[in-house]
Amino acid sequence: MFGPMILTLVILAIASVLFISGKVRSDLVAIGALILLMLFNILTPAEALSGFANSVVIMMIGLFIVGGGIFQTGLAKMVSRKLLKLAGTNETRMLIIIMVVTAGIGAFVSNTGTIAVMMPIVVSLAMSAKTNPGRLLMPLAFASSMGGMLTLIGTPPNMVIQEVLSAGGFNEISFFTYTPIGLVCVVVGIVSMLFLRRFLPQNEKDEGGRRTGRSLKDLAKKYQLMQNLYRVQVSAHSSIRSKSLQELDISARYALNVIEIRRKISAKNQFFKTINQEVAGSNTIIQEEDIMYVYGTFERVQEFAQDFDLTMLDHQIAENKRMSGTEQYATEEMGIAEVMLTPTSRLINRLVKDSGFREKYRLNILGIQRQDQYILHHLKEEKMRFGDALLVQGTWRDIAHLANESDVVVVGQPIEESRKVTMDNKAPIAVGIMLLMVVLLVSDVIPAVASVMIAAVLMIVFGCVRNMEDGYKTINWESVVLIGGMIPMSIAIEKTGAAALLSEGMVKVLGGYGPMVLLAGVYFTTSLLTLFISNTACAVLFAPIALSAALQLDANPYPFLFAVSIGASMCFASPFSTPPNALVMSAGRYRFSHYLKVGLPLQLIMGIVMVAVLPLFFPL
């Protein structure tokens, strides 16, 4: 048995060194360790691959999709705005508020579920406050674990020691027995993070901004979109009804460009799409209540509206109240992009009106940038030149198709830009799905993994995530493979007897030095082992040993079992030790070294405080 045990520990040591060095991708290291455990017959293929069937891994996949829905519907942005008002842009206040709120949720929801709710909000908050998300996401992950210590149901190890005490004939723990100790954990964690955050990734300027072209807001500002974009609504008495844009010839008569028409198609269910958007073409027939997006000077738009008995809409009132606050020039379906003419483009030296641009590409030209000059009006009579940048508007799909043409080069990535536009009208659905997930997780009516999977499927079915492909793109597969690959390592450590040997040896060595030393030994051995095996498995392994050791010394077993529960849960020094640590790794752009610099000191501080405090709550 010692041969497989030594091999397992050697593989674990090599993997740890590679994780710390950061020179090899973490998911590749995990798969490499997995392969070695199979090659040396330490694990069977079924055991080695069991990590990818583990409920934690499946939950992670589901949570990424749920998070994507919370982002894409703008729900994260809405909540983050409220937090931003409360915290301002002060990083210290943001960190404290995030950790307190997260710990509060974590008291009743699993730490993985807590991350699902909070991570999109925190990333959105960081972006709004122009702060590196890495400054806030690791504190978020740690706070979700600390919150689990506030109640009996907060984390699985709490339930494990409850069962062990009950089986041993001792009084069971009540729902809030953990609360005083949990509060100490949260306070220690927050205070420690205020000092340890210096080791988190620093705020950096976005070096990639230039590579992807101007943002939607930048384009709108440069081309003065909001100063030249007006909305008019067709009334019941308007003479424009039932006529095509070709008949009206608005561009020639008023020097205006009708770029888009939004039409109400259903009012039966407020949660589903009620506005149809389409690029205005020459054959478009105007209908009553249509909202026309007209590009041009205010005077000409006003003249146009008066001539045809149209209603000019106030800029602050959106045609669909749920869409208020979104950019009028970009939605989940329609967008804008900047394109450059290539040297061989057939559009060079052609007038805009003769280019057939709208007919061929189904896109409108809203403006032309020529060197430092912006041409925004009377575009139809403008001749296009090599080097011109054109601002075009239409559906994201058509803009993406334009990128395949040889006449122009699309600046930036249209599909990526379209994903940045939130579907605010779907936010109520996302709220409902998220609340359903939380209720299912708290009530424990069905398994947690099923609750998350239901929420993920509903996010896609109800369009909170645009489509299945977008759902797959929200998943960070590196984190999934990392956790799936490292879970079998805990099986190998237990199977080869390494875990049992360590725990029993600890009791033999420390038992003779008195209960306080043994308590410290139980806590820190549990804390060390939980770096390599799951906190639940660690608690299952150590709880009976701690109970037995306490009884041998004729000591109160409660502080020893609480030491097991807390030591197993307060694991911060490794990205794969808990699901929250792994979930924030990609979004925070953390390396293994960040967990060592921030998480390891926090884990040691928490251990020292807990060993000192536990005898105060439960005398030895």
Side-chain angles (χ1 to χ4, degrees):
M1 184 59 76
F2 280 100
M5 182 193 300
I6 292 170
L7 275 174
T8 300
L9 295 176
V10 168
I11 292 169
L12 178 61
I14 293 171
S16 300
V17 170
L18 291 174
F19 280 133
I20 294 168
S21 70
K23 293 181 179 178
V24 182
R25 280 177 58 116
S26 57
D27 51 348
L28 189 60
V29 174
I31 293 298
L34 200 62
I35 292 170
L36 289 175
L37 290 172
M38 280 193 289
L39 290 178
F40 287 110
N41 292 320
I42 297 169
L43 294 178
T44 66
E47 290 171 330
L49 297 176
S50 64
F52 294 100
N54 190 282
S55 61
V56 171
V57 174
I58 306 302
M59 278 182 71
M60 284 179 67
I61 293 172
L63 290 172
F64 277 122
I65 295 175
V66 171
I70 294 171
F71 254 124
Q72 292 183 21
T73 57
L75 181 59
K77 194 185 293 182
M78 294 174 199
V79 178
S80 68
R81 282 198 198 109
K82 294 184 183 294
L83 285 177
L84 200 59
K85 286 181 182 178
L86 187 63
T89 55
N90 182 282
E91 187 184 286
T92 300
R93 279 204 300 268
M94 283 194 291
L95 185 144
I96 293 172
I97 288 172
I98 286 167
M99 292 190 73
V100 169
V101 171
T102 304
I105 297 172
F108 304 97
V109 180
S110 71
N111 54 13
T112 316
T114 303
I115 292 295
V117 174
M118 289 297 297
M119 189 164 75
I121 293 169
V122 171
V123 172
S124 182
L125 174 65
M127 291 168 65
S128 299
K130 297 181 179 178
T131 298
N132 187 335
R135 304 286 297 167
L136 302 173
L137 285 173
M138 193 175 285
L140 167 73
F142 295 167
S144 70
S145 296
M146 296 169 197
M149 303 311 303
L150 289 168
T151 62
L152 178 64
I153 64 168
T155 184
N158 296 2
M159 303 294 292
V160 170
I161 70 164
Q162 162 86 309
E163 292 174 12
V164 171
L165 283 168
S166 179
F170 294 91
N171 293 331
E172 292 187 351
I173 303 165
S174 70
F175 190 84
F176 291 109
T177 301
Y178 269 95
T179 304
I181 299 169
L183 289 173
V184 173
C185 287
V186 173
V187 171
V188 171
I190 291 173
V191 173
S192 300
M193 284 306 303
L194 292 175
F195 292 97
L196 294 171
R197 61 180 170 170
R198 70 183 68 183
F199 300 113
L200 292 171
Q202 298 299 316
N203 291 321
E204 297 173 358
K205 292 182 179 179
D206 183 13
E207 296 173 357
R210 292 184 177 273
R211 291 196 298 267
T212 58
R214 295 168 178 161
S215 69
L216 295 178
K217 286 186 178 180
D218 288 340
L219 288 175
K221 185 177 179 181
K222 292 290 184 183
Y223 286 90
Q224 301 173 35
L225 273 192
M226 298 315 293
Q227 291 92 322
N228 294 285
L229 186 63
Y230 300 92
R231 295 175 301 148
V232 294
Q233 187 164 28
V234 180
S235 65
H237 309 292
S238 175
S239 59
I240 204 173
R241 287 183 307 129
S242 303
K243 292 185 178 180
S244 69
L245 290 179
Q246 189 173 22
E247 289 178 66
L248 297 167
D249 201 13
I250 296 168
S251 59
R253 293 173 60 186
Y254 297 96
L256 298 174
N257 194 7
V258 181
I259 62 172
E260 184 182 329
I261 290 176
R262 298 192 187 181
R263 181 170 296 158
K264 184 178 283 191
I265 57 174
S266 170
K268 292 180 181 178
N269 191 327
Q270 62 171 341
F271 288 146
F272 290 94
K273 182 180 171 185
T274 57
I275 298 294
N276 183 44
Q277 298 171 258
E278 61 177 72
V279 178
S282 58
N283 297 321
T284 301
I285 305 296
I286 306 300
Q287 298 179 16
E288 183 182 338
E289 292 192 5
D290 278 357
I291 294 171
M292 304 171 67
Y293 277 63
V294 185
Y295 191 71
T297 63
F298 176 76
E299 293 75 15
R300 302 312 297 269
V301 175
Q302 195 172 41
E303 181 185 348
F304 168 59
Q306 288 172 351
D307 288 351
F308 292 101
D309 195 18
L310 304 171
T311 304
M312 288 197 68
L313 298 178
D314 182 80
H315 281 281
Q316 300 304 317
I317 303 174
E319 63 269 22
N320 181 330
K321 289 181 181 178
R322 290 178 300 281
M323 294 175 67
S324 60
T326 60
E327 308 292 356
Q328 294 180 18
Y329 48 81
T331 67
E332 66 269 22
E333 294 179 6
M334 313 285 289
I336 56 174
E338 197 172 34
V339 302
M340 304 284 291
L341 298 184
T342 63
T344 58
S345 174
R346 63 173 185 80
L347 299 173
I348 292 174
N349 294 325
R350 284 199 182 190
L351 295 175
V352 171
K353 67 179 182 181
D354 298 330
S355 66
F357 200 90
R358 176 182 279 184
E359 290 74 17
K360 182 175 181 181
Y361 303 120
R362 293 185 296 179
L363 298 169
N364 294 299
I365 298 176
L366 303 185
I368 299 174
Q369 180 187 359
R370 185 167 293 151
Q371 296 177 349
D372 295 328
Q373 178 188 6
Y374 288 87
I375 304 167
L376 305 174
H377 304 297
H378 308 291
L379 290 173
K380 290 207 168 188
E381 303 301 324
E382 195 63 40
K383 187 178 288 187
M384 291 181 280
R385 303 177 188 172
F386 170 61
D388 281 355
L390 311 178
L391 182 70
V392 299
Q393 187 259 5
T395 66
W396 289 112
R397 188 184 299 274
D398 287 333
I399 293 173
H401 287 161
L402 185 64
N404 299 323
E405 296 292 327
S406 59
D407 285 328
V408 298
V409 175
V410 178
V411 181
Q413 300 176 6
I415 298 301
E416 293 301 318
E417 288 297 325
S418 70
R419 292 194 183 106
K420 296 176 185 177
V421 181
T422 55
M423 301 177 288
D424 292 10
N425 60 321
K426 299 285 188 180
I429 307 177
V431 170
I433 293 170
M434 189 175 73
L435 289 176
L436 173 65
M437 182 184 75
V438 171
V439 168
L440 291 174
L441 288 168
V442 172
S443 63
D444 206 23
V445 176
I446 59 176
V449 64
S451 304
V452 174
M453 288 174 69
I454 288 169
V457 170
L458 290 177
M459 283 287 185
I460 294 170
V461 170
F462 284 96
C464 297
V465 176
R466 288 182 176 86
N467 49 52
M468 200 67 188
E469 288 71 25
D470 260 18
Y472 286 125
K473 287 175 182 175
T474 63
I475 300 168
N476 183 272
W477 293 105
E478 182 179 353
S479 297
V480 171
V481 172
L482 169 65
I483 295 296
M486 288 308 296
I487 285 174
M489 179 65 75
S490 66
I491 298 174
I493 290 173
E494 290 182 69
K495 185 178 179 180
T496 58
L501 185 68
L502 179 65
S503 57
E504 291 168 7
M506 177 268 301
V507 174
K508 288 180 182 177
V509 171
L510 300 178
Y513 293 98
M516 195 68 185
V517 174
L518 182 61
L519 179 67
V522 167
Y523 185 98
F524 285 105
T525 306
T526 307
S527 183
L528 174 66
L529 197 60
T530 199
L531 290 171
F532 309 107
I533 66 175
S534 74
N535 57 3
T536 306
C538 198
V540 169
L541 177 69
F542 261 83
I545 295 171
L547 178 62
S548 175
L551 293 177
Q552 285 178 31
L553 293 179
D554 199 24
N556 182 1
Y558 284 89
F560 291 88
L561 287 171
F562 271 80
V564 170
S565 175
I566 299 167
S569 300
M570 299 295 101
C571 186
F572 311 122
S574 164
F576 52 78
S577 55
T578 65
N581 291 4
L583 277 168
V584 300
M585 187 177 186
S586 174
R589 295 184 180 179
Y590 298 124
R591 296 187 299 274
F592 197 94
S593 58
H594 286 118
Y595 290 88
L596 286 180
K597 290 176 183 177
V598 180
L600 183 57
L602 178 60
Q603 194 165 327
L604 291 173
I605 292 168
M606 191 70 74
I608 292 167
V609 172
M610 285 297 106
V611 169
V613 165
L614 278 172
L616 300 179
F617 290 105
F618 305 99
L620 293 170

